[in-house]
């Protein structure tokens, strides 16, 4: 039998490095961030999501923190419960240079993403979206002035 030797795939801990795959821990972290962001955007608790897919809320926490790897079948169930395609969880890993997720691996992009995934960030966005556009723009100008 002829056994061919194949080179190992190049890995990096940086999302989006040209020609290099993110390492498994980075992938698990990005998938977890995406689960948390979508779950919080829907206003769903970890307990509710866990119940829907047959795991504890602690397991959902571990998935979201990237501490436990999500199996493909569980990820498919999570996608169904969160009303997204399974590919949603990998979008930051394949985002092009002009997409908003490009900065996910670090810097301002990651800070924005992480903040919107918090309860406070979700409340801020939901409240802002409930306001008429002119009021939102006035509020934005006020926040920009206060931040200087």
């Amino acid at each position: 039998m002829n056994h061919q030797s194949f080179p190992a795939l190049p890995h990096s801990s940086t999302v989006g490095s040209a020609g290099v795959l993110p390492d498994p821990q980075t992938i698990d972290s990005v998938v977890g961030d995406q689960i948390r962001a979508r779950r919080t955007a829907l206003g769903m608790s970890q307990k509710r999501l866990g119940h829907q897919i047959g795991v504890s809320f602690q397991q959902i926490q571990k998935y979201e923190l990237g501490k436990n790897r999500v199996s493909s079948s569980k990820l498919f169930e999570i996608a169904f419960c969160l009303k997204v395609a399974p590919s949603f969880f990998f979008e930051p890993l394949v985002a092009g240079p002009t997409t908003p997720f490009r900065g996910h691996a670090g810097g301002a992009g990651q800070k924005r993403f992480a903040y919107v995934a918090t309860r406070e960030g979700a409340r801020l966005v939901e409240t802002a979206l409930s306001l008429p556009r002119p009021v939102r723009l006035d509020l934005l100008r006020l926040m920009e002035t206060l931040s200087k």
Side-chain angles (χ1 to χ4, degrees):
M1 186 184 282
N2 184 9
H3 293 283
Q4 284 187 312
S5 176
F6 294 100
L9 292 172
H11 286 86
S12 169
S13 61
T14 305
V15 175
S17 296
V20 179
L21 293 171
D23 63 70
Q25 292 78 20
T26 301
I27 295 170
D28 294 340
S29 179
V30 169
V31 168
D33 288 347
Q34 291 289 92
I35 292 170
R36 181 180 61 248
R38 181 62 181 165
R39 179 185 58 74
T40 57
L42 293 175
M44 184 184 291
S45 69
Q46 291 175 330
K47 184 177 181 178
R48 181 172 166 211
L49 178 58
H51 178 76
Q52 288 182 341
I53 67 167
V55 301
S56 67
F57 78 89
Q58 292 96 335
Q59 185 62 46
I60 298 297
Q61 286 176 333
K62 291 175 185 176
Y63 289 158
E64 291 181 356
L65 293 172
K67 295 196 183 283
N68 282 14
R69 190 161 291 156
V70 186
S71 71
S72 55
S73 58
K74 281 293 178 207
L75 193 60
F76 199 84
E77 290 178 53
I78 291 169
F80 180 81
C81 292
L82 298 180
K83 299 174 177 55
V84 293
S87 61
F88 167 83
F89 302 111
F90 301 98
E91 286 176 1
L93 298 168
V94 295
T98 60
T99 62
F101 289 115
R102 185 66 175 169
H104 183 79
Q110 183 176 5
K111 287 180 182 177
R112 282 187 215 102
F113 185 82
Y115 178 71
V116 172
T118 67
R119 185 172 293 150
E120 176 186 345
R123 283 181 50 215
L124 181 66
V125 170
E126 289 171 20
T127 303
L129 290 174
S130 72
L131 299 171
R133 187 168 193 277
V135 175
R136 275 198 316 267
L137 294 175
D138 287 343
L139 182 60
L140 177 60
R141 283 190 283 278
L142 174 63
M143 290 171 60
E144 289 171 338
T145 300
L146 292 173
S147 71
K148 292 179 184 176

